[in-house]
Amino acid sequence: MIKLSILSLICHCLSAFLIFHFAGSRSASTRYIQLSPALAATLLQAYLLVQLIYPGNEQLNLGFFNAMSLIGWLVCIQILISSLYRPLQSLGILMFPLCGIAFVLATYLPSNQAFTVSSQFISSHIMISVIAYSLIMLSAIQALALAFQDHAIRSHHPGGFIRFLPPLHDMETLLFQMLGFGFIFLTTALLSGVFFVEDLFAQQLVHKTVLSIIGWVILATLLYGRYKFGWRGKMAIRWTLTAFVFIMLAYFGSKLVLEFIVQNNVNL
């Protein structure tokens, strides 16, 4: 699997290079050329994900790097789909290589955190949560690009990376569309957790639950502020990144502590 993961990384890096090299082109054919290597990489990674996450016997392995690979893969899929309708392939310059690196790490440092899924409802809850995380991560990337674009325009330096991006208004509209979908999936994940997880505030889940709820409240406030008061610009960017930090800490923070710090201390 390591060879396939390295091949997917090469394809992702090639796609990122093509996006950079043909910066500013709005041609649909050029866009397809830019994205074709990334599409090939995501197909390879779909096969790798099945091997990494479903080791067999109704088990699910969502160790740290496996989960990072899955979320990165979903983000790349979202970029590929969105780029069919809008010139958003520039988001792949950063995300495509990072996704490739995550897969190399997942195959080079395999996780032994497999567990048996007790029911299909629990499996659905987990996948909805992962989709929510990926949408919010993509929103955070979009918010960072928007912040960079806004700063460059205000400082009268609209060249460089800015020439890759759609107009500011389109970027902002897309950001709130992503946040809206992410909020829906996060709400569904929290509600399904209430019904299908026996104790959301058990010792091993309490940090994840509390941080996720805080992130949900921040997102709800931001979306309400956008609807009621027309929040935009720096305020939208700050609230988006704050929500992202809490939600990513809810999942990756707890996994990092449990898998790499607590486990290593136990082994010592």
Side-chain angles (χ1 to χ4, degrees), residues 4-261:
L4 289 179
S5 65
I6 291 174
L7 179 58
S8 73
L9 173 60
I10 292 171
C11 289
H12 270 317
C13 289
L14 175 59
S15 195
F17 170 77
L18 290 172
I19 294 169
F20 182 83
H21 183 70
F22 294 105
S25 174
R26 302 295 180 182
S27 167
S29 59
T30 301
R31 197 182 313 167
Y32 294 145
I33 293 172
Q34 292 170 325
L35 297 175
S36 292
L39 176 61
T42 56
L43 293 175
L44 277 175
Q45 290 169 345
Y47 169 78
L48 289 172
L49 277 173
V50 173
Q51 308 302 313
L52 290 168
I53 295 176
Y54 297 103
N57 299 324
E58 298 185 351
Q59 288 189 319
L60 195 63
N61 188 339
L62 282 175
F64 184 81
F65 291 121
N66 288 359
M68 185 185 295
S69 299
L70 176 57
I71 290 177
W73 182 79
L74 286 169
V75 170
C76 290
I77 290 291
Q78 291 159 14
I79 292 174
L80 288 171
I81 293 173
S82 298
S83 297
L84 295 175
Y85 307 100
R86 292 186 177 93
L88 295 173
Q89 63 273 17
S90 56
L91 298 179
I93 293 175
L94 173 64
M95 199 59 219
F96 288 160
L98 287 179
C99 181
I101 292 170
F103 272 89
V104 171
L105 290 173
T107 52
Y108 187 73
L109 301 170
S111 169
N112 59 354
Q113 300 296 316
F115 59 92
T116 302
V117 180
S118 58
S119 73
Q120 190 63 38
F121 295 113
I122 296 295
S123 180
S124 299
H125 164 72
I126 292 171
M127 294 311 298
I128 290 171
S129 300
V130 171
I131 292 171
Y133 295 146
S134 67
L135 283 166
I136 293 165
M137 177 181 284
L138 185 56
S139 299
I141 296 170
Q142 178 79 356
L144 288 172
L146 183 60
F148 186 82
Q149 186 178 23
D150 181 70
H151 174 74
I153 291 173
R154 289 178 184 276
S155 58
H156 305 289
H157 295 292
F161 181 72
I162 297 304
R163 69 185 188 276
F164 301 162
L165 301 175
L168 195 65
H169 178 268
D170 291 347
M171 289 281 286
E172 199 169 70
T173 300
L174 182 64
L175 171 62
F176 279 97
Q177 289 176 352
M178 292 177 184
L179 287 173
F181 284 115
F183 180 75
I184 291 170
F185 275 96
L186 182 61
T187 303
T188 305
L190 290 171
L191 289 175
S192 63
V194 171
F195 289 105
F196 302 128
V197 178
E198 290 184 4
D199 187 359
L200 276 176
F201 292 93
Q203 184 175 0
Q204 69 273 22
L205 294 176
V206 63
H207 298 92
K208 183 181 296 186
T209 303
V210 171
L211 290 170
S212 296
I213 291 173
I214 293 173
W216 182 90
V217 170
I218 294 171
L219 278 181
T221 304
L222 172 58
L223 291 172
Y224 178 78
R226 170 72 170 186
Y227 170 76
K228 189 71 175 178
F229 307 111
W231 288 359
R232 57 190 299 273
K234 291 183 179 179
M235 179 172 289
I237 293 166
R238 288 169 183 164
W239 281 72
T240 300
L241 295 177
T242 303
F244 167 75
V245 168
F246 277 102
I247 291 168
M248 287 300 110
L249 281 177
Y251 190 74
F252 285 113
S254 59
K255 292 190 76 65
L256 182 65
V257 171
L258 289 173
E259 291 185 27
F260 294 99
I261 298 176

